[in-house]
Amino acid sequence: MRRDLGKDAPDVLLPEGIELRTYSVEWAPPVHDLMQLGHREGGGRVPALDTWQKQFETDPEYDPTLCFIAHDAEGVVGVAQCWTSSYIKNLVVHPRVQGRGLGRALLLHAFEAFKQRREGFVDLKVLEDNLRAQRLYESAGMYVVRRELVPD
């Protein structure tokens, strides 16, 4: 899916009691735990902490200022892991805060960060059967970009 950053976006409104910060190594364990929880709920898997952290922090598109972490008094409740190519790699919201607008706030925050970097678009991938995520992305102004397959 794609979001045209030339179009206005609503203001970012974080749910009450939730703060945003960017990634640093001390946040790796709770971010990893949330990623594992999110992938269990949505499919796929996340490697062990050491492997995940090394892959994440050494990826050529890694920039810690593009990994947005939402937390409250109980811990990490949301993550938007973005790449420098204006791509949202992962967006995970803890089940205990789902339905409060955090996923939308993380998306809008990522859009604003990429707009400040003078990017024209933000992309992400979503499984075709993940209708809940698709509705969230569409509500934030994203639209489906169909892949063109090259015939044999």
Side-chain angles (χ1 to χ4, degrees):
M1 297 188 78
R2 173 169 283 175
R3 173 71 154 85
D4 180 348
L5 297 176
K7 299 183 185 221
D8 289 334
D11 291 335
V12 177
L13 299 173
L14 286 170
E16 190 172 331
I18 295 178
E19 297 179 17
L20 264 187
R21 64 181 54 223
T22 55
Y23 179 83
S24 58
V25 293
E26 64 268 11
W27 288 94
V31 167
H32 177 261
D33 290 346
L34 182 59
M35 293 284 198
Q36 285 186 312
L37 177 63
H39 280 75
R40 274 196 304 269
E41 304 234 335
R45 66 175 203 84
V46 177
L49 174 61
D50 291 343
T51 303
W52 171 83
Q53 187 173 0
K54 183 177 180 184
Q55 289 172 346
F56 176 52
E57 294 175 4
T58 61
D59 190 285
E61 291 198 67
Y62 166 74
D63 178 342
T65 67
L66 291 174
C67 182
F68 309 110
I69 301 168
H71 66 96
D72 64 9
E74 296 179 47
V76 173
V77 292
V79 175
Q81 176 188 0
C82 304
W83 288 148
T84 58
S85 60
S86 194
Y87 181 77
I88 299 172
K89 170 120 174 68
N90 286 297
L91 182 100
V92 183
V93 174
H94 196 286
R96 73 177 171 81
V97 297
Q98 287 179 357
R100 293 180 44 201
L102 179 56
R104 181 178 171 84
L106 285 166
L107 271 177
L108 296 174
H109 188 76
F111 297 164
E112 183 58 33
F114 283 120
K115 188 173 186 174
Q116 289 176 4
R117 292 170 76 105
R118 304 180 55 82
E119 296 287 349
F121 298 91
V122 174
D123 292 323
L124 58 75
K125 290 180 187 175
V126 61
L127 296 173
E128 289 182 11
D129 64 350
N130 192 344
L131 300 179
R132 182 176 182 182
Q134 287 178 32
R135 283 191 301 272
L136 168 64
Y137 303 148
E138 288 170 352
S139 78
M142 298 191 88
Y143 55 91
V144 173
V145 178
R146 299 276 180 215
R147 293 183 304 151
E148 297 287 329
L149 299 179
V150 178
D152 291 334

